């Protein structure tokens, strides 16, 4: 077991949301907002010869290796708008708009050396572009039918 590795993962998610609805005659308008912040921490430990079977090298590598990776974090902001317009007792039209903005920080991609191999790898060792901050918006119209 002196060459063994152990890893512990801890996730924490914090979410806050608020909403508002108002009726205007037979129409109903709603807006809601959600904020989400998530962290993932990876801590590890290893046996006395896991990094090297030479004591001095093991001590030096253990100092450089440490016992944890940087936190991975995700932040999201989501804003929704809804307007429901009744047509009759069994049918309504729903108009909606959803805007989402996200930010991702992942240690897998921090400080990755690009161009470490030849030009054959297009200047990178990555198979993808990595996590990207993003924003998206979707607008829609739905027909609601009640049975």
């Amino acid at each position: 077991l002196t060459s063994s590795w152990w890893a512990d993962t801890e996730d924490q998610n914090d979410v806050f949301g608020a909403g508002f609805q108002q009726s205007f005659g037979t129409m109903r308008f709603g807006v809601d907002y959600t904020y989400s912040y998530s962290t993932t921490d990876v801590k590890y430990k290893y046996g006395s010869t896991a990094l090297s079977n030479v004591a001095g090298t093991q001590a030096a590598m253990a100092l450089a290796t440490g016992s944890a990776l940087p936190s991975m974090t995700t932040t999201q902001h989501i804003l929704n708008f809804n307007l429901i317009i009744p047509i009759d007792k069994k049918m309504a039209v729903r108009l909606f708009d959803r805007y989402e903005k996200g930010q991702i920080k992942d240690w897998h991609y921090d400080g990755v050396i690009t161009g470490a191999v030849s030009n054959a790898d297009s200047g990178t060792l990555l198979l993808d572009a990595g996590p990207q901050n993003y924003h998206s918006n979707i607008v829609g119209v739905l027909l609601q039918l009640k049975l």
Side-chain angles (χ1 to χ4, degrees):
L1 292 178
T2 61
S3 294
S4 297
W5 285 79
W6 299 268
D8 294 316
T9 302
E10 183 177 315
D11 296 307
Q12 180 172 335
N13 299 296
D14 298 313
V15 179
F16 168 80
F20 168 79
Q21 293 216 4
Q22 177 69 43
S23 292
F24 299 100
T26 59
M27 295 187 299
R28 192 170 70 232
F29 174 75
V31 61
D32 61 80
Y33 169 77
T34 304
Y35 170 79
S36 174
Y37 181 77
S38 304
T39 59
T40 298
D41 293 316
V42 179
K43 297 177 183 164
Y44 50 86
K45 49 189 171 173
Y46 36 83
S48 60
T49 62
L51 303 172
S52 173
N53 58 7
V54 177
T57 306
Q58 169 78 16
M61 291 179 72
L63 184 62
T65 303
S67 62
L69 297 166
S71 295
M72 292 184 284
T73 60
T74 303
T75 305
Q76 287 180 297
H77 300 271
I78 301 168
L79 185 61
N80 289 304
F81 295 96
N82 285 288
L83 179 63
I84 298 175
I85 305 167
I87 296 172
D88 59 32
K89 289 183 178 183
K90 294 194 173 214
M91 193 180 317
V93 173
R94 177 179 169 226
L95 308 173
F96 70 91
D97 184 11
R98 177 185 174 104
Y99 178 78
E100 184 172 335
K101 179 180 177 181
Q103 298 160 335
I104 302 167
K105 182 149 177 64
D106 186 341
W107 58 263
H108 289 91
Y109 294 90
D110 289 346
V112 172
I113 300 169
T114 58
V117 183
S118 67
N119 287 338
D121 73 344
S122 301
T124 182
L125 294 174
L126 301 176
L127 296 176
D128 62 18
Q132 304 291 313
N133 295 341
Y134 68 94
H135 62 90
S136 64
N137 191 55
I138 185 168
V139 177
V141 178
L142 299 171
L143 182 62
Q144 295 180 333
L145 300 172
K146 296 179 184 176
L147 300 176

